[in-house]
Amino acid sequence: MRVETKINGVAVDELMETIYLLRQKPELGKFTFRTNNRWIDGTYNRAENPAALGLAASDRPTPHVHDIDEPPVLLGQDRGANPVEYLLVGLSGCVTTTFIAYAAAQGVKIDELRTELDGDIDVRAFLGITHDVRPGYQEIRVKFHVRSDAPREKLKELMVLAERRSPVSDSVRKGVPIKFALAD
């Protein structure tokens, strides 16, 4: 009988088996994630994430649903986070997951991990009032609150890995090509 090793809630044996499998069959590491969005009213819309494909096409029984709106000051009714808040949510989840996974893989026990993010946007660019600033974030700050017996240097190493290996952090920091098209 195999005894499963879990560190930080991560099944380390399964993680190592997955890494081994992907080294043997790199084509299994390619995923396509999808989101479909439908406008409802005003600034309110709803996005759904159907099944993610990769590693033998794992399917979800039901989609994940995300209500998106703006706060009243930006003409919404605050029925959900706004899109730039969702970007922070995605980034926070990805760097947190990356930090925890690398800690587990290295045998570092984390007692508590919280990430705190904030970012600055000037909405005048979005509204077409000025072209002197970009419509996106000018800066995003990520702060890790970690409770662990690990030395601070090790925690800094894990933070750097989270920054460099997180797919969302990479996409935001380095940019990613986006192709826009009207459907037929």
Side-chain angles (χ1 to χ4, degrees), residues 49-66:
N49 301 110
L53 303 179
L55 282 183
S58 57
D59 291 328
R60 299 188 167 110
T62 59
H64 294 289
V65 178
H66 313 280

Side-chain angles (χ1 to χ4, degrees), residues 35-48:
T35 296
N36 301 313
N37 189 297
R38 184 175 56 86
W39 168 71
I40 297 172
D41 180 50
T43 60
Y44 182 44
N45 54 101
R46 180 170 289 142
E48 292 187 357

Side-chain angles (χ1 to χ4, degrees), residues 126-146:
F126 165 71
L127 296 171
I129 296 169
T130 183
H131 299 290
D132 295 335
V133 295
R134 60 185 288 194
Y137 280 107
Q138 279 83 49
E139 179 179 75
I140 296 173
R141 293 166 294 279
V142 180
K143 186 184 292 183
F144 290 87
H145 298 268
V146 187

Side-chain angles (χ1 to χ4, degrees), residues 4 22 24 29 32 44 63-64 71 81-82 84 94 99 104 108 116 124 126 145 151 184:
E4 188 174 288
L22 292 173
Q24 303 308 308
T32 299
Y44 182 44
H64 294 289
N82 71 16
V84 294
C94 200
F99 190 106
V108 177
E116 188 178 296
R124 295 176 305 149
F126 165 71
H145 298 268
D184 295 332

